[in-house]
Amino acid sequence: MKIHQGDTILMIKGKEKGKKAKVLRGFPAKSFILVDGVNIKKIHKRPKKEGEKGQVVEVPAPFNISKVKLVCPKCSKPTRVGYDITTGKKKRICQKCKAEI
Ligand SMILES: [Zn+2]
């Protein structure tokens, strides 16, 4: 998967288009990512003990990586991800500045 945990991404689709945020977790098997503050869902929690109140908790939900673009940490532009295999090792590179990311 081209987007990893800890990357900064830019939303390019949906109602949160234009938002920049950090990837909290990747799910490579499904090509899903969990992003801080994006795709917030409300979870209604029931009281577990007597005297406790039910709560509405807001948590981010995972979504498909096709909705985002990676923001390059070197040139800080939204970019596509490429791979450089010329040195024998697979390196992830920015298609704009060709720096290893
Ligand atoms: Zn770059």
Side-chain angles (χ1 to χ4, degrees):
M1 197 161 76
K2 289 181 174 177
I3 297 191
H4 300 169
Q5 189 173 327
D7 285 345
T8 304
I9 53 91
L10 174 75
M11 297 300 295
I12 52 164
K13 281 189 181 116
K15 63 178 178 183
E16 286 167 290
K17 198 168 157 180
K19 209 171 186 179
K20 273 184 191 173
K22 209 161 201 183
V23 180
L24 298 176
R25 232 186 118 180
F27 304 90
K30 281 178 131 185
S31 291
F32 272 36
I33 48 167
L34 187 67
V35 180
D36 190 21
V38 176
N39 198 26
I40 299 292
K41 296 275 184 263
K42 282 180 179 169
I43 293 178
H44 296 259
K45 272 196 171 169
R46 290 186 170 279
K48 279 179 188 157
K49 289 174 200 151
E50 212 174 320
E52 238 177 43
K53 276 184 182 170
Q55 278 180 319
V56 182
V57 189
E58 295 189 338
V59 289
F63 56 91
N64 197 278
I65 57 162
S66 64
K67 287 184 178 170
V68 305
K69 253 190 162 178
L70 182 74
V71 177
C72 172
K74 298 270 158 57
C75 60
S76 60
K77 282 176 194 157
T79 180
R80 283 176 301 124
V81 178
Y83 290 103
D84 178 17
I85 50 166
T86 50
T87 50
K89 248 188 167 182
K90 196 172 170 186
K91 277 194 238 160
R92 203 167 63 135
I93 58 162
C94 164
Q95 293 281 36
K96 286 201 171 134
C97 65
K98 304 287 176 194
E100 189 182 347
I101 45 176

